Amino acid sequence: MGRRQAGQPSTGQQVGAGVALVVLDLVVIVWTVYGYGVAGWADGYESDGAGPSSASRVASQAALLFGGGAVVTGGGLLALGWRITGVVQLVVLGGAALLFFSVGG
């Protein structure tokens, strides 16, 4: 097994930080999915078709939020040498961004 270099975080620290960030990510993702659902439900009562639906706007904003979050947190953690946590952030937030991008229309 290789030895950890001075100044590099341990695997335990990376896993602990990764779990904490994933829990926070999932709370924000669930809250955003709820907001998207409420906006879609409300669009059912306002179906005039004049402009983009509010659910579409929520999905576009969420895609930008999660895409930016993936780049900033995942990229920042990778730049700091926290490979495990950085990759997890890129996967979780990038996946959420793709999800909302695909439903945003």
Side-chain angles (χ1 to χ4, degrees):
M1 294 225 282
R3 296 184 59 157
R4 185 170 61 97
Q5 297 198 0
Q8 293 294 321
S10 72
T11 303
Q13 287 174 325
Q14 290 187 48
V15 170
V19 168
L21 287 171
V22 165
V23 168
L24 181 63
D25 293 342
L26 291 177
V27 167
V28 173
I29 290 168
V30 167
W31 184 256
T32 308
V33 167
Y34 175 75
Y36 174 75
V38 168
W41 174 75
D43 285 342
Y45 290 102
E46 301 175 356
S47 59
D48 60 0
S53 67
S54 58
S56 175
R57 283 192 304 271
V58 168
S60 296
Q61 290 172 350
L64 286 172
L65 171 77
F66 292 126
V71 170
V72 171
T73 60
L77 288 166
L78 286 173
L80 291 174
W82 288 54
R83 290 186 195 109
I84 297 168
T85 310
V87 169
V88 168
Q89 286 295 292
L90 285 171
V91 169
V92 171
L93 293 177
L98 286 174
L99 170 76
F100 280 105
F101 181 75
S102 68
V103 298

